[in-house]
Amino acid sequence: MDLFQYDFMQRALVGALVIGLAAPALGIYLVQRRLALIGDGIGHVALTGVGAGLLLNRSPVLVAVVAAILGAVTIELVRARGRTSGDLALALLFYGGIAGGVMLVGLSDASSANLNAYLFGSLTTTSPADLTTIAVLGASIAVLMLALRPALFAVCHDEEYARVAGLPVRALNMLLAVATAVTVTIAMRAVGVLLISALMVVPVATAQQVTRGFRSTMTAAMALGLFAAGAGVWVAATADTAPGASVVLLAIASFLVVALAAAARRVLRRRATPAVVSAPEPHEVVLR
């Protein structure tokens, strides 16, 4: 039986594809800034928002969006002022976010199944309203990352140069922080807050194995994200596995395959290149 004839599987596939496209488009800038793990930190803050929403009987997703944006803006302000290192700020988000989320969920009447849906994703329960939110916000993130690519690349590569060039560095940094928060929040339905960082980073790391320029790396990463998302949903549907875990594992498997192929290609190229022995110069004298 073709499971994709059902509406809930079609919504799951479309939602996964949108996130698979948007997450690497944003993730390449985070990797460039050496903030590959910021998605995890913001995800933990979003978990606090989920707990607050469950405790207050408000929409967990909307409260998580607000909490994630506040967390992302806070870490950007801390990083920009340089009073605390980026690693320490991320650590504070990690521990404070997960502790606050667990405490608030424990105080609410939510079951562990509800918490697991946000921790590890629950793509097959995506409603039409959820899909509309994912599609609109995910497409907006992808379009922004593509449209502002020159400016964002300049800021991520060298902030001082970007500032001298007249770019609004602070505004662009805040845009990246807010975009990260929004991406993490909408991806809760697909892969969960504990796995979203992998979908942001792993396709980028895979593309870097075989590409040279920033544009080609971004294009390849988005294509790999689409592949992992689509294939992951198909594997989850046919093998009855968790969609979020299937997507991430396929992304990691793609990285391993590409990395091994790239390594083998380099070895073969070195073996095929003959060793060049330089001849002695005319004025050199060989002593015996």
Side-chain angles (χ1 to χ4, degrees):
M1 183 185 300
D2 185 8
L3 291 176
F4 289 97
Q5 65 180 322
Y6 299 108
D7 291 340
F8 73 93
M9 286 303 302
Q10 294 173 7
R11 291 194 295 269
L13 179 61
V14 173
L17 290 176
V18 171
I19 295 170
L21 186 69
L26 171 66
I28 190 170
Y29 299 106
L30 302 180
V31 172
Q32 186 75 18
R33 298 181 66 181
R34 301 184 185 276
L35 290 174
L37 295 181
I38 193 174
D40 284 331
I42 295 177
H44 291 154
V45 175
L47 182 61
T48 299
V50 169
L54 294 174
L55 181 63
L56 300 174
N57 292 322
R58 297 290 186 267
S59 172
V61 175
L62 292 179
V63 180
V65 169
V66 175
I69 290 176
L70 290 176
V73 171
T74 299
I75 192 173
E76 175 56 32
L77 291 175
V78 170
R79 186 198 67 83
R81 296 192 177 186
R83 298 190 178 184
T84 305
S85 66
D87 290 342
L88 180 57
L90 281 176
L92 292 174
L93 281 181
F94 266 67
Y95 306 136
I98 195 71
V102 171
M103 184 184 70
L104 291 176
V105 170
L107 292 174
S108 68
D109 297 328
S111 63
S112 59
N114 290 333
L115 179 60
N116 288 336
Y118 294 102
L119 287 175
F120 304 106
S122 183
L123 195 56
T124 55
T125 62
T126 303
S127 66
D130 292 333
L131 181 60
T132 301
T133 302
I134 291 172
V136 171
L137 294 179
S140 300
I141 295 297
V143 170
L144 277 175
M145 297 303 103
L146 290 171
L148 299 176
R149 179 170 54 197
L152 291 174
F153 172 76
V155 170
C156 294
H157 183 69
D158 189 342
E159 280 195 11
E160 293 301 324
Y161 169 80
R163 191 172 285 107
V164 171
L167 294 175
V169 173
R170 178 170 296 181
L172 291 172
N173 283 332
M174 284 298 176
L175 173 64
L176 279 176
V178 173
T180 304
V182 172
T183 303
V184 167
T185 307
I186 64 173
M188 287 193 302
R189 305 296 298 178
V191 296
V193 296
L194 298 184
L195 297 176
I196 177 56
S197 188
L199 197 55
M200 289 181 177
V201 174
V202 175
V204 177
T206 306
Q208 287 177 335
Q209 302 293 320
V210 294
T211 57
R212 297 289 184 182
F214 185 84
R215 179 180 300 179
S216 59
T217 301
M218 187 176 191
T219 302
M222 294 171 69
L224 288 166
L226 281 174
F227 165 76
V233 172
W234 179 82
V235 169
T238 55
D240 193 22
T241 57
S246 301
V247 170
V248 172
L249 287 176
L250 276 176
I252 294 175
S254 300
F255 171 80
L256 293 176
V257 170
V258 172
L260 290 174
R265 181 183 178 185
R266 288 193 295 268
V267 170
L268 292 176
R269 181 177 297 177
R270 284 198 298 265
R271 290 181 178 178
T273 303
V276 178
V277 180
S278 59
E281 295 294 333
H283 62 273
E284 290 182 349
V285 179
V286 179
L287 300 178
R288 298 186 183 275

